Amino acid sequence: MIRLNRTTEYGLIALWHMSRKKSTHVNLLTTAREISDHYGLPFEITAKTLQRLKNADFIHSSHGAKGGYYLKKNLKDVSFADFLSLMEGGQSLVICTFPREHPEDGSCEYRDRCEIKSFMSSLNQRMVQFLANIRLSELEEFYSNNNGKDLSANIPVSLLVSQKEALKT
Amino acid sequence: MIRLNRTTEYGLIALWHMSRKKSTHVNLLTTAREISDHYGLPFEITAKTLQRLKNADFIHSSHGAKGGYYLKKNLKDVSFADFLSLMEGGQSLVICTFPREHPEDGSCEYRDRCEIKSFMSSLNQRMVQFLANIRLSELEEFYSNNNGKDLSANIPVSLLVSQKEALKT
DNA sequence: AATATATACGATAATATATGTCGTATATAG
DNA sequence: CTATATACGACATATATTATCGTATATATT
């Protein structure tokens, strides 16, 4: 079954969280602990997911006490294909449609005699296009799902620091 | 990464094989051994894949010596979504988009606090639509890939039986 | 300086899924 | 009666995902 990895879901939840927070014009920093607590996600994986998003320049990080993350990229500029490539690797329905990761021609043991390569290539191309046409900014259309919950509810007062202040360091 | 199962690939290859054979108007029966030999696929899995296609009424089977399979359904009537549902189960990017397999509301442990459910639901719906718009008859557009290879090359003469004859039983 | 908090990240363990194999039963042609 | 082929459950292996652990580094506060 075509199913996303959990880390991909965690990443989307984290982006949703930070994006919504940004939209409130209360530009607070978000910590890994805040997200894992708020949504009940495993802390370690949430932290690593955020580090991954940071390395891809989706978010900005600041170290130490009162450190944390905030959304850096405009989600309008990120396609779901981009995001998936970051979280799970590039889209490739079958081994032979991903030459970059498998430069050797013989990566698929059936390649020589396979006769559906062209079909698969065409199909894969269209799927990538489909995913590339979806912007992560679509997440913003679903802010209403929050049902009025206050995202800052379980944030300790000590963390109420603006991005401007965080940027000083 | 969004990747198809091997059994799905085997199934596509098998359908391609039988469809192309049918198109030559030499309505031969195809055995599991013929396909596994011709494409170098593992016999047992190929056989099970064909049994699965048979149970879903995609192909017809006849038992015993000179037995085998032939394509029954018109591939124009089968969407890639249908085929995937058969081979890998229905499309569901995340747990909560597949209520039929998970009727209990709490199947996803994060469901209660998750706030991207609507986004995921929308995304999943569009993906299913995308897959439903693809017909398996597209395989036929790629018959030329065969590069002139003769599909009956490695079929023993004893198997040169027409469908009509196979239907007698 | 010492402490608490937070990111960074490699290594490894636990779990789940996918893939492949084996054994046996049944059907049919010759 | 034998060879061939489908049918299918049970099991073994391999791979990938998911989670955890340990340690290092950075920074604000006291």
Side-chain angles (χ1 to χ4, degrees):
Chain A
M1 185 177 330
I2 294 178
R3 176 156 291 175
L4 301 181
N5 290 346
R6 275 298 200 200
T7 51
T8 306
E9 292 185 53
Y10 298 161
L12 278 173
I13 288 174
L15 286 181
W16 185 92
H17 186 89
M18 288 182 279
S19 169
R20 183 155 183 283
K21 229 165 145 178
K22 196 171 193 172
S23 78
T24 64
H25 302 293
V26 189
N27 269 338
L28 298 171
L29 287 181
T30 302
T31 66
R33 184 67 65 185
E34 173 185 331
I35 291 179
S36 68
D37 281 354
H38 194 83
Y39 300 99
L41 312 178
F43 168 72
E44 299 289 353
I45 302 182
T46 303
K48 282 196 176 168
T49 300
L50 288 166
Q51 283 154 30
R52 195 170 209 166
L53 290 171
K54 185 256 170 181
N55 286 332
D57 222 35
F58 279 59
I59 61 182
H60 174 272
S61 80
S62 45
H63 282 215
K66 291 196 180 176
Y69 304 92
Y70 66 86
L71 192 59
K72 196 171 167 189
K73 273 199 183 167
N74 189 332
L75 294 185
K76 281 189 181 63
D77 301 329
V78 186
S79 74
F80 200 70
D82 295 333
F83 181 68
L84 271 184
S85 293
L86 172 66
M87 299 303 292
E88 312 191 357
Q91 289 76 56
S92 178
L93 285 171
V94 287
I95 289 175
C96 65
T97 48
F98 206 359
R100 268 173 291 176
E101 270 186 15
H102 304 277
E104 350 73 47
D105 232 27
S107 57
C108 176
E109 58 182 305
Y110 307 121
R111 187 181 174 81
D112 289 346
R113 289 187 262 181
C114 177
E115 285 156 358
I116 62 167
K117 288 195 290 283
S118 300
F119 169 78
M120 289 313 310
S121 171
S122 157
L123 190 58
N124 196 69
Q125 218 173 319
R126 277 177 287 167
M127 191 195 59
V128 170
Q129 193 56 58
F130 167 75
L131 294 169
N133 282 336
I134 293 163
R135 307 272 120 196
L136 282 198
S137 50
E138 283 193 19
L139 280 167
E140 297 162 6
E141 298 168 23
F142 297 97
Y143 282 166
S144 57
N145 290 342
N146 195 35
N147 294 325
K149 278 190 222 159
D150 182 2
L151 289 183
S152 67
N154 58 357
I155 306 167
V157 183
S158 64
L159 278 174
L160 294 172
V161 180
S162 74
Q163 273 181 35
K164 235 184 226 169
E165 219 174 316
L167 279 169
K168 282 180 190 167
T169 56
Chain B
M1 186 177 330
I2 294 178
R3 176 155 291 173
L4 301 181
N5 290 345
R6 273 299 199 200
T7 51
T8 306
E9 292 185 54
Y10 298 161
L12 278 173
I13 288 174
L15 285 181
W16 185 91
H17 187 89
M18 288 181 279
S19 169
R20 183 154 181 284
K21 230 165 144 178
K22 196 170 194 172
S23 78
T24 65
H25 302 294
V26 190
N27 269 339
L28 299 170
L29 285 181
T30 302
T31 66
R33 183 67 65 186
E34 174 186 331
I35 292 178
S36 68
D37 281 355
H38 194 83
Y39 301 99
L41 312 178
F43 169 73
E44 299 289 352
I45 301 181
T46 304
K48 281 194 179 172
T49 300
L50 288 165
Q51 283 154 31
R52 193 170 210 166
L53 289 171
K54 185 255 171 182
N55 286 332
D57 222 34
F58 279 59
I59 61 183
H60 174 271
S61 80
S62 45
H63 282 215
K66 292 197 182 175
Y69 305 91
Y70 67 86
L71 192 59
K72 196 173 169 189
K73 273 198 184 168
N74 189 331
L75 293 186
K76 281 189 181 64
D77 301 328
V78 185
S79 74
F80 200 70
D82 296 333
F83 181 68
L84 272 184
S85 293
L86 171 67
M87 300 303 293
E88 313 191 358
Q91 289 76 55
S92 178
L93 285 172
V94 287
I95 289 176
C96 65
T97 49
F98 206 359
R100 268 173 292 177
E101 271 186 16
H102 304 277
E104 349 72 47
D105 232 27
S107 57
C108 176
E109 59 182 304
Y110 307 121
R111 187 180 174 82
D112 289 345
R113 288 186 264 180
C114 178
E115 285 156 358
I116 62 168
K117 288 195 291 282
S118 300
F119 169 78
M120 289 312 310
S121 171
S122 157
L123 190 59
N124 196 69
Q125 216 173 322
R126 277 178 288 169
M127 190 196 59
V128 170
Q129 193 55 57
F130 167 76
L131 294 169
N133 282 335
I134 293 163
R135 306 273 120 194
L136 282 199
S137 50
E138 282 193 21
L139 279 168
E140 297 162 5
E141 297 168 24
F142 297 97
Y143 282 166
S144 56
N145 290 342
N146 195 37
N147 295 325
K149 277 190 223 161
D150 181 4
L151 288 183
S152 66
N154 58 359
I155 305 167
V157 183
S158 64
L159 278 174
L160 294 174
V161 180
S162 73
Q163 272 182 37
K164 235 184 227 168
E165 218 173 316
L167 278 169
K168 283 179 190 167
T169 55

